[in-house]
Amino acid sequence: MAEQKEPQEKSIGTITRRSMLKGTVALGAAAMTGSWALNMAAPGRAEAAPKKLPDSWDETWDVVIVGSGFAGMAAAAEAAGAGAKTVILEKMPTYGGNSIINGGVYAAWDSQFHYRQNLNLGDDSPELHAEDTIKGGDYYNLPDLVQVVAKGAAPALDWMISEGGARVRPTVTRAGGHSAYRTHTGVAGVGREFTDALRRIAEKRGAAIALNSEVTWIWRRDAYPQSPVLGLEVKRGRRTLNIRADRAVILASGGFSWDIKMRLAHNPRMVESFNCTNQPGATGEMIRFAQAVGADTLHMNFIQLYPFAEPKTGILDTPAVYPFNGPGYGIIYVSKAGKRFVNELERRDVCAFAQIHLGPDAKPTWSIFNEAMVLKMGGSNEEVAAGIEKGRFIKADTIAELAGKLNIPAAALQETVAKHNQYIDGGKDADFNKPMTKAMIPLAEGPFYGLAQWPAVHHTMGGIRIDDRARVIDIFGNPIPSLFAAGEVTGGVHGSNRLGSNAIPDAVSFGRVAGTNGAKAKTEA
Amino acid sequence: MSSGSRFGDWATAGVLALMAFAAAGVMNSAGEQSEPRHATATPAPMTCGSCHTDYDGLLAEDHPKISGDTVGACLDCHPTDRASRSARNLLSARLHPAHLPPKGDLDCEHCHTWRAAEHFGLAGVTDDNRGAPTAEDMQWMRAGMLTWVGSGFLDHLHARAGIGCADCHGRRLPPAETTLTNEQCLACHGPLEKLVERSTPSDFADRNPHQSHLGEIACTVCHKAHMASSVYCLGCHRNFEMTIPGGQ
Ligand SMILES: Cc1cc2nc3c(=O)[nH]c(=O)nc-3n(C[C@H](O)[C@H](O)[C@H](O)COP(=O)(O)OP(=O)(O)OC[C@H]3O[C@@H](n4cnc5c(N)ncnc54)[C@H](O)[C@@H]3O)c2cc1C
């Protein structure tokens, strides 16, 4: 991590700015007493009401973390490991947020098992991972932040394996937007493989988790660059508590995919009728509270659709991960008419909007794969059997039979498959210019499988501005003392479009950075 | 019976008090039950005799003659369980429903003494102290008691099985943030493996709410005692067909 100089404000600027900010709070003389809390919420909103700083604290911790997903757990593990008395506050009655329900795929250029090298799947490096990530984000990504993730991914994976007991399947896949075979899959097939591992490390080191504890405000006296965040207001059951953080507050509260109002405010295309893959707690209040104490945000309009969610409910269940892991091994996506509509190795935004642009009656589209691909793409025979039972995977011995079951014209599907098989042979995709590789398997031998898919709102790339030390940056470019953030609540790592399997390494790597630095910080009241 | 029995579980003792001090003269409408009518203090204690002229119609034939008009008379024969787990079909589980709406029309403070944030006990029994509820605590306790007596919630399902307050909450008043631990639920409903087995769906074995992809979670995530229970799974899996006892 780069050592950065603390930006020093000129004193005259500081004074002006400070008084101006107090003016913004619109409390007039009351602010002079010093007992009012900073609140930059837009006037007229309920949140903008003047708030008194708490006279006393109900609980005091060294490090207080908001959110119990990858980022919060990793931060807790590092903070507690550094000797800080650490608590995680989670508003939901269960721990894990989006992390515990996630697909469990993790991009890292290497691991202690070196699967890519051992399976002869080509070259990779942190530099290449960073390059792909930035290209996939249309060069909007903040390169400093991408470096932390690309470099942190492999050590963080090994940390979860060695210290937390996480297990990964013995393969790596090449997923959409990635130019290398670097995506690892947890054995559980869901993010819980890694949340449980992080939780074991965090709890072993003494961190506590408080569920049903919703943070409702961030306490800070003013926006003076030296003014630290002091603590949080928390709703727990029917009580409202004030919790003091002696060293740091770390925001790890995830994205806002379920915050329909916030979604629409920044990206009107993300209309209410879209399904959503997220857990119901994925709302944006912590971003607003952070803004109200001076935090800057960026990229709030970049919101990702997952192209392959279960069409009826928008769930990203175990089968719905297959289309994402499959392209490197030859999976194809077809429309109801039995035709391909996109280069399957394309990024998520391209794959999602290619489906939406098929027209109003295009839902659902289908992924087609065969048995030979299952294990290679990180799947398992048990998962396929369970998916068949639930009617998610449709199985057939021939392409014609599969077409019949999927209600697709058989001739069209047979033609599409035959053409794609030739493209694999010839190494060139004449329709969509997909970069064909030797690892791709032709759809020649059955059994074959079909899986219905449709886009659903999935990930918010934007959020709170941080630097490469996970410090939250205010609207003037200064770090806010004692306030850190990590994971999906932050913006800038993924640019306009997050590559699949990049969110876990982001959240875990930055969670570790935030926990390490948070434990070293100090607030003074 | 030693005087120690007076300090048995609060619900049992409370019910005894209700019986002892039933007071027809100060009944009010059910609608007012949820309002704390006394900000800080208790009305003058009533005796059972204020309402009941004799107990013959109420008690089993072989019940010994009741001597005295206070709760102490009952406590001598109906000891309370100090381990905070009492037997089923306790007096408390019979007497609270008999005196609270919709059947009866009494409020807590007819039979219990209460000083806000200082004391809660049984009227007429000296040294009886079961906690120090605030006015807000009293309101919650009253609401919980009323749904336990009659509602579609889980608490009433327990009431119908003769399970009183103390079976879950122990002999002291539950503090504001009380939530049961899984061990408490499993003491009667466990072991977990048995629950898992019973709730395994015949169609998709992996859609078992007691063994889900969220790992081990609190029973109270879905099962709420004093409000409607709800299936947490349905928050995301909107197409699952699942029901829950005490649900809406
Ligand atoms: C279905 C699904 C599948 C995915 N699959 C993958 C994958 O395979 N690979 C990959 O790399 N990425 C995947 N992603 C993305 C990735 O899972 C998320 O970006 C990541 O989990 C974010 O981690 P986090 O720790 O930042 O936030 P979260 O895990 O979402 O945790 C944030 C927590 O903060 C809590 N919270 C929010 N506000 C408050 C508040 N006010 N007070 C208290 N608590 C609060 C939330 O309830 C939540 O529990 C997937 C996402 C989803 C939804």
Side-chain angles (χ1 to χ4, degrees):
Chain A
M1 262 164 278
E3 262 306 310
Q4 290 188 341
K5 269 216 215 104
E6 200 81 33
Q8 278 301 322
E9 284 223 335
K10 287 199 191 84
S11 65
I12 177 126
T14 303
I15 290 161
T16 316
R17 191 163 293 164
R18 186 182 189 190
S19 26
M20 187 197 83
L21 282 166
K22 283 189 169 172
T24 316
V25 185
L27 296 173
M32 304 298 283
T33 68
S35 63
W36 294 99
L38 177 63
N39 184 355
M40 298 162 85
R45 295 166 153 258
E47 294 90 354
K51 286 171 185 285
K52 281 237 166 169
L53 283 172
D55 297 328
S56 63
W57 302 94
D58 298 291
E59 288 178 19
T60 299
W61 299 80
D62 291 330
V63 173
V64 182
I65 298 168
V66 188
S68 64
F70 297 128
M73 288 288 174
E78 294 295 18
K85 214 178 117 213
T86 302
V87 68
I88 297 177
L89 305 174
E90 169 58 57
K91 69 178 169 185
M92 302 299 283
T94 58
Y95 102 94
N98 276 338
S99 302
I100 199 169
I101 63 165
N102 109 338
V105 291
Y106 187 108
W109 77 282
D110 199 7
S111 78
Q112 56 190 276
F113 304 119
H114 313 300
Y115 291 128
R116 175 182 47 80
Q117 297 90 318
N118 296 341
L119 296 168
N120 286 320
L121 288 168
D123 294 329
D124 200 3
S125 64
E127 292 70 35
L128 195 58
H129 188 178
E131 214 174 277
D132 287 347
T133 301
I134 291 173
K135 187 163 168 239
D138 295 315
Y139 302 90
Y140 285 100
N141 321 53
L142 303 186
D144 280 5
L145 304 188
V146 178
Q147 287 304 324
V148 173
V149 177
K151 287 188 187 140
L157 181 58
D158 284 338
W159 179 59
M160 292 189 288
I161 292 168
S162 310
E163 267 204 60
R167 302 152 307 157
V168 292
R169 299 182 188 183
T171 184
V172 281
T173 71
R174 176 175 169 183
H178 291 280
S179 69
Y181 286 75
R182 66 167 70 100
T183 293
H184 299 70
T185 302
V187 165
V190 283
R192 189 176 151 204
E193 186 74 47
F194 302 114
T195 54
D196 277 357
L198 292 169
R199 183 178 178 162
R200 282 191 285 269
I201 305 174
E203 287 185 339
K204 190 172 66 196
R205 294 177 177 186
I209 305 174
L211 302 173
N212 297 304
S213 301
E214 181 186 355
V215 175
T216 50
W217 199 254
I218 300 170
W219 293 120
R220 189 183 183 202
R221 194 179 303 276
D222 50 43
Y224 183 61
Q226 263 72 50
S227 173
V229 158
L230 304 171
L232 300 166
E233 180 187 74
V234 180
K235 201 169 156 283
R236 184 176 291 161
R238 52 197 159 91
R239 295 268 180 266
T240 297
L241 310 174
N242 288 302
I243 298 187
R244 175 90 169 96
D246 270 347
R247 301 191 197 174
V249 165
I250 299 175
L251 308 179
S253 47
F256 60 94
S257 284
W258 260 124
D259 201 318
I260 293 169
K261 192 174 161 203
M262 198 166 186
R263 219 162 83 184
L264 284 170
H266 294 283
N267 186 338
R269 276 205 295 189
M270 294 298 142
V271 292
E272 196 167 353
S273 56
F274 273 116
N275 274 329
C276 180
T277 63
N278 286 205
Q279 61 111 2
T283 50
E285 69 274 13
M286 287 312 305
I287 296 177
R288 294 189 288 273
F289 301 154
Q291 288 176 308
V293 295
D296 194 16
T297 58
L298 76 165
H299 295 174
M300 293 289 287
N301 55 322
F302 295 142
I303 299 175
Q304 177 173 82
L305 297 167
Y306 184 71
F308 320 110
E310 195 281 316
K312 285 201 193 79
T313 60
I315 296 262
L316 203 174
D317 55 5
T318 302
V321 185
Y322 281 56
F324 169 71
N325 276 330
Y329 293 106
I331 208 168
I332 59 170
Y333 312 144
V334 299
S335 65
K336 280 180 177 172
K339 296 207 157 70
R340 288 174 65 216
F341 50 84
V342 72
N343 157 12
E344 291 83 356
L345 272 176
E346 263 296 358
R347 308 163 1 171
R348 289 179 167 179
D349 51 348
V350 176
C351 292
F353 280 98
Q355 291 173 76
I356 289 162
H357 292 150
L358 286 172
D361 299 321
K363 179 176 173 174
T365 66
W366 300 89
S367 271
I368 311 288
F369 61 98
N370 70 0
E371 189 153 287
M373 296 179 198
V374 170
L375 294 184
K376 300 221 169 197
M377 60 192 193
S380 83
N381 294 321
E382 298 74 39
E383 284 171 3
V384 171
I388 291 171
E389 229 179 276
K390 289 183 182 130
R392 287 285 282 132
F393 292 123
I394 312 289
K395 183 180 180 180
D397 288 328
T398 65
I399 292 293
E401 185 195 343
L402 185 66
K405 288 184 171 175
L406 306 184
N407 220 358
I408 291 176
L413 187 60
Q414 283 172 312
E415 193 193 323
T416 299
V417 166
K419 262 211 262 176
H420 190 259
N421 288 349
Q422 282 169 17
Y423 296 160
I424 293 178
D425 256 2
K428 194 167 160 34
D429 172 7
D431 293 327
F432 296 99
N433 206 20
K434 176 163 66 178
M436 309 305 279
T437 75
K438 292 252 175 323
M440 290 180 184
I441 299 165
L443 286 167
E445 253 175 73
F448 301 100
Y449 300 94
L451 176 71
Q453 57 196 24
W454 196 252
V457 177
H458 184 54
H459 191 91
T460 50
M461 274 71 71
I464 296 168
R465 185 185 291 278
I466 54 169
D467 66 7
D468 62 357
R469 291 197 252 167
R471 301 182 299 182
V472 172
I473 305 301
D474 76 7
I475 50 178
F476 302 107
N478 303 308
I480 298 177
S482 287
L483 187 61
F484 297 80
E488 197 175 333
V489 73
T490 67
V493 171
H494 305 289
S496 60
N497 171 65
R498 173 176 69 84
L499 296 188
S501 65
N502 261 353
I504 313 182
D506 167 19
V508 180
S509 304
F510 263 111
R512 298 183 76 182
V513 171
T516 304
N517 291 334
K520 289 188 212 149
K522 189 118 192 79
T523 69
E524 11 41 75
Chain B
M1 203 28 67
S2 81
S3 64
S5 64
R6 290 176 189 169
F7 303 96
D9 75 271
W10 72 269
T12 306
V15 166
L16 294 169
L18 269 170
M19 185 177 85
F21 301 110
V26 286
M27 280 182 186
N28 64 357
S29 75
E32 289 173 315
Q33 298 288 343
S34 59
E35 296 296 308
R37 283 169 300 124
H38 311 284
T40 53
T42 292
M46 311 296 293
T47 63
C48 305
S50 307
C51 294
H52 297 287
T53 45
D54 69 79
Y55 306 108
D56 289 350
L58 296 169
L59 300 172
E61 261 174 43
D62 55 352
H63 194 282
K65 265 263 169 283
I66 290 182
S67 58
D69 203 19
T70 72
V71 72
C74 307
L75 284 173
D76 281 346
C77 297
H78 293 281
T80 51
D81 178 353
R82 312 273 233 98
S84 86
R85 276 218 54 227
S86 29
R88 286 183 170 213
N89 206 18
L90 285 168
L91 266 181
S92 82
R94 286 182 280 153
L95 290 183
H96 270 113
H99 293 89
L100 290 171
K103 263 194 170 168
D105 205 3
L106 295 190
D107 189 41
C108 319
E109 296 154 66
H110 286 111
C111 310
H112 293 280
T113 52
W114 169 55
R115 285 192 307 282
E118 276 177 32
H119 170 87
F120 185 87
L122 210 46
V125 181
T126 44
D127 299 339
D128 187 51
N129 190 358
R130 297 173 188 278
T134 63
E136 196 198 351
D137 292 333
M138 283 296 284
Q139 225 167 322
W140 284 95
M141 193 166 58
R142 185 180 286 106
M145 186 56 107
L146 288 175
T147 54
W148 176 79
V149 168
S151 74
F153 307 150
L154 211 53
D155 51 3
H156 183 58
L157 295 182
H158 282 84
R160 292 211 324 239
I163 309 292
C165 310
D167 292 284
C168 298
H169 294 296
R171 60 178 289 267
R172 304 279 295 183
L173 293 178
E177 303 313 325
T178 296
T179 159
L180 292 204
T181 63
N182 288 8
E183 291 70 44
Q184 283 176 285
C185 301
L186 291 172
C188 297
H189 298 285
L192 185 62
E193 298 73 51
K194 195 179 88 188
L195 276 185
V196 167
E197 204 181 299
R198 282 198 1 224
S199 62
T200 304
S202 55
D203 44 5
F204 308 119
D206 59 352
R207 286 183 189 170
N208 191 330
H210 294 122
Q211 192 176 55
S212 81
H213 59 82
L214 293 178
E216 195 180 325
I217 63 174
C219 304
T220 51
V221 170
C222 300
H223 302 285
K224 318 275 189 199
H226 305 297
M227 55 195 270
S229 295
S230 61
V231 183
Y232 194 62
C233 311
L234 298 178
C236 295
H237 300 277
R238 287 174 280 151
N239 57 340
F240 284 9
E241 281 172 20
M242 296 169 89
T243 54
I244 188 168
Q248 288 289 4

